[in-house]
Amino acid sequence: MSGQSFRIRDKGRIDRSKPVRFTFDGKSYEGFEGDTLASALIANGVHLIGRSFKYHRPRGILAAGSEEPNALIQLGGGNKSEPNLRATQIEIFDGLEAASQNRWPCLKFDVGAVNSVFHRLFPAGFYYKTFMWPASLWLKYEHVIRHAAGLGKAPPDRDPDRYEKVHAHADVLIVGGGPAGLAAALAAGKTGARVILADETADWGGSLLSESDCEIDGKEPARWVEESVAELEAMPEVTLVKRCTITGYYDHNYLTGLERVSDHLGAAPEHTPRQRLWKIRAKRVVLATGALERPLVFTDNDRPGVMLSSAVRTYVNRYGVLPGRKTVIFTNNDDAYRTALALEDAHGRVAAIVDVRTSVTGPLADAVRAKGITVYENHGIVSVQGTQKVTSVEVMQLDANGTGVTGTAKSVNCDLIAMSGGWNPTVHLFSQSKGKLTWDTEMAAFIPGTASQALASTGACNGTMGLADSLKEGLKLGAEAAREAGHKGRAPAAPKATEPEQGGLRPLWITPGKAKLGRKGKHFVDFQNDVTAADVQLAAREGYRSVEHLKRYTTTGMGTDQGKTSNVNALAILSDVLASDIPAVGTTTFRPPYTPATIGAYTGRNVGKLFEPVRKTRIDEWARANGAKFEHVGQWMRAWYFPKQGETFRQAIDREVKAVRDGCGILDASTLGKIDIQGPDAAEFLNRIYTNAWLKLGVGRCRYGLMLKEDGMVMDDGVTTCIGENHYHMTTTTGGAANVLSWLEEWHQTEWPDLKVFFSSVTEQWSVVAINGPKSRAVLQKLCEDVDFSAEAFPFMAMKEGTVAGIPARLYRISFTGELSFEINVPARYGLALWEALMEAGKEFDITPYGTETMHVLRAEKGFIIVGQETDGTVNPLDLGMDWIVSKKKPDFVGKRSLERESMASPDRKQLVGLLTEDPQTVLPEGGHVVEKLKPEPPMEMLGHVTSSYYSPNCGRSIAMALIKGGHARHGQTLHVPLEDKVVKVTVTEPRFFDLEGERIDG
Amino acid sequence: MLHITCPWCGPRDDNEFHYGGEAHILRPAAPEKLSDGEWAEYLFLKQNAKGPFLERWSHSAGCRQWFNVVRNTATDEIIEIYPMGELPKSPEGIKAYEGNWRRQSAAEKNAKAGVSGT
Amino acid sequence: MKGSANGMRALRGGASRYSIFALARNALSYHENWQKAWRSPEPKPEYDVIIVGGGGHGLATAYYLASVHGIRNIAVVEKGWVGGGNTGRNTTIIRSNYLWDESAGIYEHALKLWEGMSQELNFNVMFSQRGVLTLAHSEHELKEMRRRVEAIRLNGIDSEVMSPAQIKQLVPIIDTNPGIRYPVMGGFIQRRGGTARHDAVAWGYARAADDLGVDIIQNCEVTGILRDGGKVTGIETNRGTIKAKKVGVVTAGHSGVVASMAGLNLPIDSRPLQALVSEPIKPCIDTVVMSNAVHMYISQSDKGELVFGAGVDSYNSYSQRGSIPTVEGLLAAAVELYPIVSRLRVLRTWGGIVDTCPDASPIISKTPVDGLYFNCGWGTGGFKATPGSGHVFADLIARDEPNAIAAPFSLKRFETGYLIDEHGAAGVAH
Amino acid sequence: MADLETLTTRTALDPMDIVIGGPSDAGVTLTEIPFQTRLVLRGLPSDKKFTAAVKGALGVEPPSKPGTVTSSKTARVLWTAPNEWMVYSDDTGLAATLTKAVAGLHAAVTEVTEHYTLIRLSGRHARDVMIKGCAIDLHPREFGPGQCVQSHLGRITVLFDQTDETPSYHILVRASFAEYLWMYLEDAGLEFGVRIEAAG
Ligand SMILES: Cc1cc2nc3c(=O)[nH]c(=O)nc-3n(C[C@H](O)[C@H](O)[C@H](O)COP(=O)(O)OP(=O)(O)OC[C@H]3O[C@@H](n4cnc5c(N)ncnc54)[C@H](O)[C@@H]3O)c2cc1C
Ligand SMILES: NC(=O)c1ccc[n+]([C@@H]2O[C@H](COP(=O)([O-])OP(=O)(O)OC[C@H]3O[C@@H](n4cnc5c(N)ncnc54)[C@H](O)[C@@H]3O)[C@@H](O)[C@H]2O)c1
Ligand SMILES: Cc1cc2nc3c(=O)[nH]c(=O)nc-3n(C[C@H](O)[C@H](O)[C@H](O)COP(=O)(O)O)c2cc1C
Ligand SMILES: [Zn+2]
């Protein structure tokens, strides 16, 4: 047992046959499997674990569970390093590396501890009162403050581990696997209900594992736990999840849990997650989360060696380690006497029991006295000696009302103080569920009151503190929950349980010291954030009287422990200053997570390539193989341009753009949204949704349509084709597809349910290849025998079915370039084949693949808008000069009435125009702003912005479109686009630049 | 996470649904008869009730059907779910429906003049 | 009003000033002699002006009514504790780089006031101009960004475009690998933007307003708005009736509720907006970084927590909670852009109720009721406007006429259609 | 001029170059079932003529109970909405047949064979893989063969049904999201072992 000099020979549930080596701050130690880092350090006599946030006071271990505020650890190194872990929850494994935090250069000599020297300058909220003058210096002060911020460190780079999520459903979810939770699970499980039982620790049994003085059905409690767990494991519908903290209780019985799947193994086996986020929907929830012990607030109660009494018992009984050789117990209740007995039993010496109660009687007190332990009744600890570890305490008698001390101080040597200030039921989840708390005067604690979701609380978290009662209540509520979830069964008979009987407590929220509060030594309330009783009182004095103000002004309860050990003490002290009831002061809001939860677990596998889908067309692989550059358009990847070797962006685009107008170009247009619309009222429906007229579109004919929102602003556009009687094929913008379909459904279902029409998305049903340019007809004719391509037989805005390269196809003669153009739709599986056939057939015509950039230039040459580029949700059709598509005759369509407001036609609106730069080679940046009156310096009044701007090789100059104030009346004006480094002079024109007569459409 | 019972698919998590805001906003049948202010009532003004609130949801990741819900926006408790085109039946729902200011608005009157049912 | 070095001078109204010297002096008396930051008076029967809502905007309004307009008979009534609404639960991003002139006008007005606020209020609100960086992740976003940057620059507001390499230098923890789903393709920064200690803003205004005689009445919920004919005459509260000549309502998420007390309807939806903080860690990110495409933004507080926020939840609610998928989405985005955060832990999540307008711009307006004014609709981004909003709202109340900055934000715009649509243009509205 | 049969066809997942194979004791197997005929059928279940016409063409009435599947020799019909069904079949001419059958009624048939692809996930751990990304309760008490559901899986929306007790799930996914879903499922299966099978 090398070095483990504080290991108790015959106690604990650790596996002594499995020694484990670990390091703390670089020094190597040994513990056993089953130890936490805290218990293993205690076994090795290490008590100085960390430094506090503000004063850098030396700190040790306060607790034995997840409420620990002090013993925070940086675990592991490199990218697996993790800050702020509680030593009390880390299960040790071979090779574990732990380090203390928030100290420099080392834990024992921490320079930051000078703060402690100047502590009187740093009361609660001091920073609000200073650093204001001179103003410019605040940034420097802040730099220093920031430098001191934080506890541990983030790892340097990407997390190598894997996280999973799982959805679960339960008839009954039971949180907490102590006696109450196990009992509830047994009862619920027996009914055949689907039960999930979760506990945040590595072992079932909860507080039972820490006790040596009670029995269940005549058995040691651990035995009863083992048998119960075995029984539960045999039930097929019961799921037991260890190391799983239920972190959040959300609406409608939705809870989250964080399971630490392989943290305790050191490294996760391949493909096994490190942690798993459970998302549980439960018909009923039974909370059995136990209770947390409260510290006592006395002078220098933060010294290493001051520990919660129940934690001491846990270390002794569960881990077989002695947190001190000589203990002073400081308490306001009987439970700490069990600790005294446990210590004695483990050959630890109890130097004295200091009890604030005026007279202490009962079986536990008798037992303690029988061992010869001195009990100081009506006494308090008034000072603690020893900075890095307790060496002795001074004890004095309390005065009549407990606010001062009398008599002389007695000094007692000790290396451990085990304190107990009573119990706070763990009502966090109950309160998160929006249940109302009530104050229990006898316990001096908040307990669950009215629930607002389908839940029950049992055991210590319900204020039911006795073992027998907890078991009985657990069984009852477990069975009840299962019944309410629709299963039949009764609660099994409760086992017989015995434990020492306990009396009441005396809530004494501050133990007076020798001097007035705040003058000598510190009474800590919130250990991690260094909030003292004096700070709480100061805040109240300064008018921060709401408990929420108190929290925010002093930072009480805002540390990584979220005030599990401090909040009730703080608000009790506040209520005392305010001379108000504790329940009237109330608690701060309990928020998820119950204990801090790993960000990676919320993320799960939604990282890297699974972060978000990337959508690709069936022709994408050709583009990739042929050197295309891509751009993201919504979720889609689209070919942006196809550079040839050595070409610049501009060269490639110029080449593609010219190729289309001179010969023929080919574009993958598959991403366009497509909606199949059928039904006798389809035309009527389109007529209401689009701004133009739709009632008379013949079969085989296409029409361009514009959709507005009800506020009159442009929402989407596209070509819709009548492909049969009462049958239409609508196209939408790539980004708008999903929205448009929902839009149609919404109007149909909620406004015009009487219209007979159906919509179905068919976007990916079709691969769409657009072939554009004067030679496109010739290319197509080579591949297609069953369609007459003559301008008469196949006019602009017509659709025909035929066979292209042997593939059944729909051909649409529509054009986004102003050139002769066909959009060929084939079943998606043939998309690539079609593309390749067209490329082959087009060879002799120099067919040129092009991407979205060239498409944009070509349409801009013709002045066609792109929704989302020329529009941004604030642009109406009149602004775009598209009055021609807004029907004056139709009585109504979506957005019509809004267009009739005066503001919609105001001459002052931003209207679409063309801009020509003075120097034809200058290409304006998109997003540049246009001004009329140039000033040497901003600010200057802006007229609007450049929406589209390109070099047009077909025009031999740059072209641009812009939305500018009163633009329609400005044609011919000279304006300016002031850029960072120069001003560009522009002339306002029509937003059309090429083929103004529209002569090219027939090829 | 709210648990919303789609009238067709049954109870599902709220992220399967699309929220459609206040229910029973009737679209004026003769918008041209409304003043700009009255049209704005229909277009922009919200009831935004704290307490039982009548609202629309669509099961967008499921059957894509729209339906109405009475939900207490103060507690997020769902009180009633009922089909499009019908009125609430729960006492809270009826009270919320009848107390809605829209019943008196010009836009609503205009809508009622033209259509009935919804 | 300049700060004074000796710390002895009183605040304007007589309260003693805060300073390092005051701190040292009080240390000698064990901090037992600090005055109350503000009084807790009983409501008087009548006030010239009552401000409903003790958030930052309401308190600032009262402060400027007193300090600029000399009105002293003012009450701020707050149903809970001052700063307990969105002022106390926001992610504290401050910037003025908005697209539209009207927005730039009010937010820049605010930013200028921020720059002198700690001194003016004699309360360190820890305004920290650490810069607010907005990222672009696609060609499309780069273009949108260009549009904003140019507009901001021509409005005379600072704005700098940054390349991915510069971004990496400024924010070393960001992943600038071009192969990720949303590669960082560029960004722009407003260096004058940053953060402030949100609670301190409420406290600072409360203290300074109180010092000028403003009654700050907490735990006082307004339950009715009294009117006589078309004119406001006072308010009904859980602590009785209080008369007033003018009433300014600044209740953010609860604006609809209060409006209905006066028979008014607003174009506002109240929605949950969530935020969360990590455990405190040593400084690792010094700038505020926002990203539209992945819907998240991040900063690190002076205490060390990473502060995260995302977009607003989809449904109306007053429950101050919100839905877990929003949090999951936000954190996945965080890990995508800042891989090191994966092993850090979420310390606390919460929600606020934000008042969203159809055009994502606020309402600062007279109403059809004489003497009743509303300031609301700040939605997800009103913290940054706090001083500016209070300043112009005070002006509106005092003069019964909006000034040039406030005028575009009148309720009338919903009727006329002259909206200030920050949706399409601005994206993330924080 | 090429003949349809000789033309290259590409499934939604072909570009991924998926390698067939894997451990024989894998916990899950994955298969793409690409070109089975898939039709969206719309109509009013209350219309007797409609249900009869469908039965005539498919050999079975469309299920009226939400989330259920009916099947015949020719087709499987999945409920997707109160007036909408997804029809699976091996009959490539079924669209025409069905369209003809419902002609004149307020009904619609839309071919979506290529709009989607189908991924079969099967094996003793198939349910464990599903519940990683799907919030539907797939416990045998709640969900089994003959039932179908539309919901989220990972970050996308799918329609799936359970086809046997293994369990096996047939997951219908929009073609452009198929790569994502495939990667997602394969990754989710890693801890149980994944075998890729060719469609048989
Ligand atoms: C999570 C979150 C993140 C945000 N992030 C940012 C950000 O980064 N940057 C930014 O600029 N903005 C942000 N915001 C928005 C910002 O917080 C708000 O716009 C701003 O704080 C509003 O201030 P306020 O004073 O108007 O409202 P509040 O602070 O909400 O004050 C309104 C007050 O009115 C009181 N009240 C309500 N009803 C009554 C009644 N009947 N009687 C009396 N009193 C009443 C309330 O109790 C409350 O105290 C965020 C908001 C949230 C919720
Ligand atoms: N002396 C006292 O005053 C006192 C105090 C506390 C407990 N007890 C004893 O405790 C017993 C009551 O047992 P119990 O079952 O109510 O409590 P318990 O403390 O035995 O068990 C609670 C369990 O809940 C788990 N837990 C807590 N929060 C959780 C969360 N968010 N997620 C997952 N797990 C969580 C804990 O890990 C623990 O195992 C009685 O015997 C009682 O006498 C007595
Ligand atoms: C910028 C900022 C930083 C915060 N830092 C912390 C923190 O360090 N610890 C903490 O517990 N809460 C922190 N919070 C959250 C608050 O505790 C609180 O949850 C939030 O203000 C909402 O209030 P509520 O939870 O009481 O409703 C922070 C909040 C904000 C806005
Ligand atoms: Zn549904």
Side-chain angles (χ1 to χ4, degrees), chain A residues 178-180 183 205 207-208 211 213-216 219 221 224 338 459 464-474 495-500:
Chain A
S207 59
L208 283 179
E211 309 302 358
D213 56 1
C214 52
E215 282 186 355
I216 303 176
K219 285 172 271 199
W224 178 83
R338 296 171 77 176
T464 306
M465 298 310 279
L467 179 56
D469 289 348
S470 294
L471 291 166
K472 200 166 141 205
E473 186 184 56
K496 197 166 149 2
T498 58
E499 67 181 335

Side-chain angles (χ1 to χ4, degrees), chain A residues 66 175-182 198-201 203-208 211 244-247 288-292 313 333 335 338 423 426 429 443 458-462 464-468 470 499 502 594:
Chain A
S66 64
V175 187
L182 286 169
D199 193 284
E200 74 171 332
T201 66
D203 249 331
W204 299 105
S207 59
L208 283 179
E211 309 302 358
C244 179
T245 305
I246 299 300
T247 47
T289 47
L292 298 174
R313 212 150 79 223
N333 66 76
D335 191 65
R338 296 171 77 176
W423 295 86
T426 312
L429 294 174
M443 275 186 83
T458 179
C461 77
N462 195 32
T464 306
M465 298 310 279
L467 179 56
S470 294
E499 67 181 335
Q502 298 192 25
Y594 172 67

